[in-house]
Amino acid sequence: MPTFSSAPIARSTLIDRLDAFLTGDQLRVLVVCAPAGSGKTVLLADWASRLRARTARRPALGWVSVSEHPEPGAALWQTLRDQLGLPKPPQRPSVQAPGFDAAQLVETLTARGTPTVIVIDDAHLVTGPLALAGLEHFLLHAPPTVTTVVSGRFAPPLRWHLLGLTERSTRWGATDLAMSGAEIAALCREHHCELDESELATVLDLTHGWAALVRIAAMYLAANPDRSAALAVLARPPRAVSDFLVGELIGALPLNVRLFLTYTSVPDSFTERLADDLIGGGSALTLYELDRMNFPLTSIARGDDIWFTFHPMLRAYFLAEVNRLGARARSELHLRTANALRAAGLPRHALTHLLAVADPRHLREFLAECGTTMVLDGDGAALFGELHRARPSLLDDPFVWLLRVLDALFHGSAADALAYLDVAGSRRDRPSFVPAHWIDALTLAATVDAAVATGSVSGDLAMDAAPTGNPDIDCYLAIQSATAMVVGGQLDRGEEVLLRGLALASHTGHPRLALRALTRLTFIACGREATASMRDRAAKALVVAAEHDLNDTPDAAQAMTAAGVAAYLRGEQPDRAHVAAALTRHAVQDGSASPLAGWHGYVIGQLLAVDQAADKRAAIDDLRRSTQLLLDKNSVPGVTATVIPHVVWALLSVHEPLAAQLLAERAQQLLGDLPDVVVARAAVAETAEHSQAALALLEPLLECAGAVRPSTRITGWLLYSSAHHSLGNGAKAHSGLENALRDAAVDHLVRPFLDVPNAIELLDVYAGRFGRLDAFGDIVRQNRNAARNSTHPALTEAEMTVLKHLPSGRTAQQIAADLGVSINTVKTHLRSIYAKFGANSRVAALDYARRSGVL
């Protein structure tokens, strides 16, 4: 067993794992394969020494280094016999079968039955057929009392699948042997080199815990007092590292393999296909050879491809070899790498290599084709950072300025977007490396997007740009064109264009644009108040957001807000997560906090939160102040007006008629007599029992009700019904209520009935008189949020049971039989029900029960 000049660094974790392996019941063979200098021999020698030092449960120990036996055959097994104190075997036959000596050792160990540990070091040097046959036989047939550790730079060519099938073996690789940060720090201290946290992280990143490289780094850092400069040199790497790598790993490689490693070191990582592009083909065989010799390449699966990565110091060595090839060859390799990465859908990685290509035409072509893609994929900062570092002149191109606008918008920085848009406008007359109509299209689309972000979008924005032929730009253009159409009231046309934009987003693989298209489609459903469609489209948008980590974007927040509104309009409790998303704020450049869903979405969030608030009055007061702020912004009057009736009802619900009146009047001053504002004013009038004034506002509006939003129209009909009921006009009250039910049933719009005072009581009064609409009327009346000012006496549980049987038309005797009670009990309950309802017949009792909301 080898000895060392200094005590090895204590590797407690690995020692504990070895001890656990030894005491385990299943596995009996451990294969340790890692490059030279990984610390295999030192670790196993330290462990073996600890085993020998035990006073209890000490196993017999045998250690053999194959490097000491140039022809490892019988000598290897005889050495183990000697170390284990085993008797000499019988006379060897003149004709010996492969593995005879190993078989004899197996028989002896089996007969002995003593716990035994055998370490075979440098096992990669076992190459002779007889020696390989003997080693395989021993590993397959050694008794359960024997634990064998086979250590080498790579595994000897045995039929390892046989061991795997019998579940006898396991493997450790370079990753298992990598030194931890604490172990690296201890080794550096051994060389009188104390590292701070940042320096230690750098050494760990450079060496990946490769023990020999860590020791070289520690010695180099100890000899160079300028720590920062020394760490920078280590990344190149220095001669000591190169000498070690060449002497122990690279020097013995065939020329074609070294050339393969040189070319494939250009990208950060590579696939077999990328390697073929770099070397001209045949990479599969080379990768097989590298895997067979356990060369330190890390592999990871990404999608359908396997990506290979060099150890940082190995890559630094081969990159130095690339530099020796000359500028022309180096430029060609970077171009091949960039093209392969673009084809693999990795434009961000391709950009770095294009910046190293001498001919600038390739970079301009890349920016034209992939610049928009990178920004839409969230890589705008990397794009502009790389250009600033290597090609700052390109940053002043009009197209790049527009990409900056797009990047700022997708990161929620409206102020930056407007500033960049101004600069882009001032550069429009300058030549660009993209066609002029691309600039026009992107400018128009970004203008609409910026207007939406700042809340200043209007329906008169001209969107007459023709498609560019660039799928990314055309997708973005379609979505923003549709946005302008929707704001202008062209919902059907906007929906058509948005669906085209969604198809383009799916085709080009842009989840951000797909999310935006789905969110805008949700807006269209909101404009129609089609609650089922609102829910469906919002749910699809949120699936895209969740799958692509976009939940913290404005579009996702707006989709959640829309889902909350759908629940609210249906008279249901909005999801708390959706309400929270609507109320989320994010920091902007000036240090303030802006609503993620926009100010309109924020006010809606406050409205949705009222029913969930512990202090309802305080929540409504906050809602009032935010609504006034929204009115002052007056960005899109038609959109702003939609919240006014809901806020007025909220104020009236906490008996704040003056605040409700002032808000309605303020809305009229700023927005004009829009339908929502008229209905809000009528609500204030009817609540104040000014029914004639309410009707004067409502009747002109309801004459052209088809042009009014559904919930506003429904609220108008309910106020109309309430006013006429107060004035004693039963027929008009009934017709107004019937119109409200007809409009509400289509999209299950329950909320207006919950807001308008007396609406539920009116439904009770006229219950059973709406034909097919009675079913929806019953749904509204049974809503858990329905409020009534009922004064009827409470019925007992037994009385309610009997009452629910009356609509069936069954006799008292039949009801008694159904309930399993006597007919006298049923008659007693009926008399009590009639007395409490002031009725003298079954028909009268049922009529009162329906009108009062009991049934």
Side-chain angles (χ1 to χ4, degrees):
M1 191 171 67
T3 57
F4 306 98
S5 57
S6 59
I9 297 298
R11 310 202 64 185
S12 305
T13 302
L14 291 178
I15 294 292
D16 290 342
R17 287 181 63 186
L18 286 167
D19 287 338
F21 177 80
L22 177 61
T23 57
D25 295 331
Q26 298 296 325
L27 302 173
R28 299 268 51 96
V29 178
L30 172 62
V31 184
V32 182
C33 292
S38 299
K40 305 181 294 297
T41 301
V42 174
L43 170 67
L44 294 175
D46 185 24
W47 179 56
S49 298
R50 293 168 187 262
L51 291 179
R52 283 183 172 174
R54 285 183 179 179
T55 57
R57 293 183 301 167
R58 180 173 60 191
L61 179 64
W63 178 295
V64 61
S65 294
V66 179
S67 58
E68 298 175 0
H69 301 277
E71 296 293 336
L76 184 149
W77 309 112
Q78 185 57 50
T79 301
L80 286 174
R81 281 181 172 277
D82 294 342
Q83 290 192 9
L84 296 170
L86 299 175
K88 291 185 178 182
Q91 187 68 32
R92 300 172 65 192
S94 57
V95 179
Q96 181 180 340
F100 176 79
D101 296 292
Q104 284 189 325
L105 180 59
V106 167
E107 291 177 5
T108 305
L109 291 171
T110 303
R112 186 179 189 181
T114 303
T116 303
V117 173
I118 292 176
V119 179
I120 302 175
D121 197 22
D122 289 335
H124 60 281
L125 297 176
V126 180
T127 57
L130 290 178
L132 289 170
L135 180 58
E136 182 177 292
H137 181 90
F138 181 83
L139 296 177
L140 274 171
H141 299 289
T145 55
V146 175
T147 299
T148 307
V149 180
V150 179
S151 173
R153 298 184 183 182
F154 53 86
L158 307 181
R159 293 178 295 175
W160 292 104
H161 63 282
L162 296 178
L163 292 171
L165 289 173
T166 56
E167 298 182 350
R168 290 174 57 87
S169 69
T170 189
R171 292 196 179 209
W172 288 7
T175 302
D176 298 279
L177 296 176
M179 299 182 74
S180 66
E183 291 167 342
I184 292 173
L187 192 149
C188 289
R189 281 195 295 272
E190 183 182 292
H191 290 276
H192 311 291
C193 175
E194 193 75 32
L195 301 181
D196 62 29
E197 187 173 335
S198 174
E199 293 165 345
L200 180 60
T202 301
V203 171
L204 183 58
D205 188 54
L206 285 173
T207 63
H208 285 195
W210 192 339
L213 296 181
V214 171
R215 189 171 292 277
I216 293 171
M219 295 167 64
Y220 190 83
L221 292 172
N224 291 274
D226 188 343
R227 194 67 56 78
S228 297
L231 287 171
V233 172
L234 279 175
R236 291 178 192 171
R239 177 175 294 277
V241 172
S242 298
D243 289 346
F244 168 76
L245 294 175
V246 171
E248 298 291 343
L249 196 66
I250 300 171
L253 295 175
L255 180 59
N256 67 309
V257 174
R258 292 186 63 169
L259 192 63
F260 173 91
L261 295 171
T262 300
Y263 282 18
T264 54
S265 69
V266 174
D268 291 335
S269 57
F270 63 93
T271 62
E272 181 181 321
R273 181 182 304 175
L274 197 158
D276 280 338
D277 291 337
L278 289 171
I279 67 173
S283 60
L285 180 60
T286 307
L287 285 169
Y288 171 78
E289 287 297 316
L290 290 170
D291 180 63
R292 186 189 62 78
M293 66 179 66
N294 199 36
F295 192 85
L297 283 177
T298 303
S299 62
I300 185 171
R302 298 178 196 156
D304 296 331
D305 290 317
I306 303 296
W307 289 81
F308 300 92
T309 306
F310 282 84
H311 185 282
M313 287 188 164
L314 268 174
R315 182 171 182 241
Y317 172 85
F318 285 111
L319 282 176
E321 294 292 301
V322 171
N323 289 331
R324 294 189 183 95
L325 297 176
R328 184 174 179 179
R330 184 169 63 249
S331 182
E332 177 63 23
L333 284 173
H334 279 292
L335 181 58
R336 290 185 195 177
T337 301
N339 290 336
L341 291 170
R342 283 172 65 182
L346 298 170
R348 177 177 179 179
H349 298 82
L351 174 62
T352 302
H353 296 283
L354 281 171
L355 292 171
V357 176
D359 190 340
R361 292 177 301 171
H362 298 290
L363 178 60
R364 290 195 292 266
E365 177 190 326
F366 169 84
L367 291 175
E369 180 182 339
C370 301
T372 312
T373 301
M374 288 188 65
V375 171
L376 296 177
D377 287 345
D379 290 331
L383 171 64
F384 306 128
E386 290 283 3
L387 291 179
H388 179 76
R389 176 183 63 82
R391 297 286 194 279
S393 61
L394 282 174
L395 288 172
D396 204 34
D397 187 275
F399 178 68
V400 178
W401 277 112
L402 288 169
L403 292 182
R404 282 182 175 274
V405 176
L406 190 57
D407 182 63
L409 289 168
F410 269 90
H411 284 87
S413 181
D416 285 349
L418 289 174
Y420 296 149
L421 196 57
D422 287 341
V423 177
S426 69
R427 303 291 197 276
R428 288 190 68 175
D429 294 334
R430 296 187 180 185
S432 174
F433 55 83
V434 301
H437 66 282
W438 287 26
I439 302 292
D440 295 338
L442 201 51
T443 299
L444 285 173
T447 300
V448 174
D449 203 355
V452 171
T454 56
S456 58
V457 64
S458 62
D460 57 358
L461 283 170
M463 294 299 299
D464 54 356
T468 64
N470 180 304
D472 298 323
I473 296 176
D474 288 343
C475 179
Y476 181 60
L477 178 64
I479 293 171
Q480 299 312 134
S481 298
T483 301
M485 294 171 189
V486 171
V487 173
Q490 303 178 55
L491 298 187
D492 292 340
R493 175 61 178 152
E495 186 171 35
E496 177 186 338
V497 177
L498 271 175
L499 289 171
R500 187 172 73 244
L502 178 59
L504 276 171
S506 301
H507 174 71
T508 54
H510 286 309
R512 286 173 177 264
L513 288 181
L515 172 61
R516 175 156 296 184
L518 285 166
T519 302
R520 298 289 194 266
L521 285 167
T522 306
F523 288 173
I524 292 175
C526 290
R528 295 168 175 158
E529 293 187 329
T531 56
S533 182
M534 290 166 66
R535 277 182 164 174
D536 179 62
R537 291 176 175 181
K540 290 178 179 177
L542 294 176
V543 167
V544 172
E547 287 179 349
H548 299 280
D549 195 24
L550 298 173
N551 281 329
D552 58 350
T553 61
D555 291 313
Q558 290 165 356
M560 292 187 195
T561 304
V565 171
Y568 178 82
L569 291 175
R570 294 173 72 92
E572 301 166 1
Q573 190 77 9
D575 190 312
R576 289 184 178 273
H578 295 164
V579 177
L583 295 174
T584 299
R585 290 172 173 259
H586 67 111
V588 294
Q589 195 172 23
D590 61 2
S592 62
S594 175
L596 191 61
W599 278 106
H600 184 262
Y602 183 76
V603 172
I604 289 176
Q606 288 187 306
L607 176 67
L608 301 181
V610 164
D611 291 337
Q612 303 174 6
D615 187 342
K616 186 174 181 180
R617 182 174 290 275
I620 290 174
D621 194 45
D622 290 340
L623 172 63
R624 176 187 59 80
R625 287 195 293 269
S626 295
T627 305
Q628 289 175 334
L629 178 61
L630 183 65
L631 280 170
D632 292 338
K633 290 178 177 293
N634 194 19
S635 54
V636 185
V639 176
T640 301
T642 60
V643 302
I644 302 301
H646 299 288
V647 180
V648 165
W649 287 125
L651 289 166
L652 292 174
S653 72
V654 292
H655 309 293
E656 291 286 354
L658 180 59
Q661 179 181 351
L662 292 174
L663 180 63
E665 290 174 353
R666 179 68 171 163
Q668 183 191 23
Q669 293 171 3
L670 296 175
L671 306 178
D673 287 322
L674 294 173
D676 291 290
V677 176
V678 172
V679 166
R681 294 173 59 207
V684 173
E686 177 60 18
T687 303
E689 300 182 354
H690 298 156
S691 296
Q692 291 290 2
L695 289 172
L697 290 167
L698 292 168
E699 286 173 345
L701 178 71
L702 296 174
E703 287 177 1
C704 55
V708 180
R709 281 190 320 117
S711 65
T712 304
R713 186 167 66 246
I714 295 163
T715 304
W717 282 121
L718 290 174
L719 288 169
Y720 174 91
S721 177
S722 175
H724 277 296
H725 183 75
S726 299
L727 296 172
N729 299 327
K732 289 188 176 181
H734 175 271
S735 67
L737 200 56
E738 185 174 22
N739 288 335
L741 286 171
R742 183 178 296 107
D743 289 342
V746 177
D747 289 300
H748 204 93
L749 297 174
V750 174
R751 188 70 208 187
F753 295 89
L754 306 180
D755 284 335
V756 177
N758 303 324
I760 301 298
E761 291 163 342
L762 285 171
L763 285 175
D764 291 340
V765 170
Y766 293 100
R769 305 181 193 179
F770 299 111
R772 62 183 179 81
L773 295 174
D774 275 323
F776 180 71
D778 289 342
I779 291 174
V780 175
R781 294 168 62 227
Q782 293 163 15
N783 186 282
R784 67 187 185 89
N785 295 314
R788 293 180 175 85
N789 296 318
S790 177
T791 58
H792 65 76
L795 300 181
T796 66
E797 184 177 350
E799 290 166 352
M800 276 299 302
T801 301
V802 172
L803 178 64
K804 289 178 180 179
H805 278 72
L806 296 186
S808 66
R810 297 174 70 77
T811 65
Q813 181 66 54
Q814 291 170 325
I815 293 173
D818 291 342
L819 298 177
V821 298
S822 70
I823 188 173
N824 290 330
T825 300
V826 172
K827 288 181 177 180
T828 299
H829 290 325
L830 285 173
R831 284 193 296 270
S832 178
I833 292 169
Y834 292 167
K836 289 179 178 180
F837 285 179
N840 55 14
S841 68
R842 176 183 290 205
V843 173
L846 284 172
D847 180 65
Y848 182 87
R850 290 194 178 100
R851 286 187 290 105
S852 62
V854 178
L855 285 180

